Amino acid sequence: MTTAYWLRCRECGKTYGHQPLVRAPRLGAQFGASNLYIKNDAVCMPTLSFKDRVVAVALANAQDFGFDTVGCSSTGNLANAVAAHAARLGLKTYILVPADLEPAKILNTQVYGATLVRVEGNYDHVNRLSSQIADRYNWGFVNVNLRPYYAEGSKTVGFEIAEQLGWRLPDNVVVPMAGGSLITKIRKAFNELIELGLVEDKPVKFFGAQATGCSPIARAVKNDTDAIEPQRPNTIARSLAIGNPADGIYASRVIRGTGGWAEDVSDVEIVSAIQELAETEGIFTETAGGVTTAVTARLYAHGRIQPDELTVTCITGNGLKTTDCLSGAYDQSHAIRPRLADFENFVEEHIASQENQRFSLAGEADVR
């Protein structure tokens, strides 16, 4: 059995799937973890996010229903995926996004020839408008009238995790949460594999990750309730900035029902985690991945995940989509002349600068 089957193109037979599941020893060492894995959907997909999974399933069904026009409301990654897949299938597209979306994600939607509609307001305003449009026009909206198929596409993440672990389940999964669907569908995938007898039944704890500036599901988990209190998003993690998540209730139930937990992290922590993941494991993630990485670190630090437990943390999008969050984070060194002596001077200055930085950090630690 191969889970790539779920993402097979009907026209060309090309398959998408089996995104890398890699052990993360250097990042794990930073967290005090010895059995940490990363499910990396930031690569090997047409538009470099896990949304390509859900769109492949949704648009295959849109064709079956005879839609010639498709659309979606999106915080960015879904917009990119719908535009790309619709172009491949020859479908017309209308894609609605918040007006302040990251420029890279806007460009990555328009390049496929999609009709992009920028809407004043946050994602919840955009989503409400897209629901009204889906009622008015005979179009297939991926996250409205095609939502059941869209949601089922997320199960492929869970199928692949189990298969890549040698047909076994992890102890823990850490998942970023926007609308809350992904975490529930990974759980559903595991349950289906158990029912089919492909994996041994075992308890798996689910952990949700959100940004502090938009954390309605995490708050519900911490309050031990199903009730989702909508929030006004205010975070750099725009792909997770859904203040009134459609599947928030179900995500909270999955997390609490499996003995997991949810955490939220600040924008400063998000940027730091993006850098830490890149520097330790060579994976450049967008802001949502920064959220998941920072939350994973906190879960280990607070003892909610034990060091030796097999833990999978999900990275769902590529960092090239949100480079604006790193603006000003790195100094641009001066250009040198093409001479060996100039390079040697550069190296000496660089080493001296690193030593001074280490000395400064050590002094700050002593003061604390």
Side-chain angles (χ1 to χ4, degrees), residues 9 14 41 59 78 103 105 160 262 272 315 329 366:
C9 175
K14 181 176 176 58
D41 268 21
L59 293 196
L78 184 61
K105 288 182 178 176
E160 288 184 16
S272 178
I315 299 301
D366 289 341

Side-chain angles (χ1 to χ4, degrees), residues 100-118:
D100 66 347
L101 196 63
E102 296 97 337
K105 288 182 178 176
I106 289 178
L107 177 62
N108 199 8
T109 299
Q110 292 176 312
V111 72
Y112 300 111
T115 301
L116 184 75
V117 183
R118 298 169 66 240

Side-chain angles (χ1 to χ4, degrees), residues 232-244:
R232 186 183 297 275
N234 182 22
T235 173
I236 61 170
R238 295 188 185 94
S239 61
L240 303 183
I242 298 179
N244 189 17

Side-chain angles (χ1 to χ4, degrees), residues 19-24 27 36-41 277 281 283 293 311-315:
Q19 310 324 306
L21 178 72
V22 296
R23 195 155 195 162
L27 183 66
L36 177 64
Y37 287 77
I38 294 172
K39 181 59 175 169
N40 184 14
D41 268 21
L277 179 60
E281 299 297 340
I283 296 173
T293 302
T311 300
V312 176
T313 186
C314 296
I315 299 301

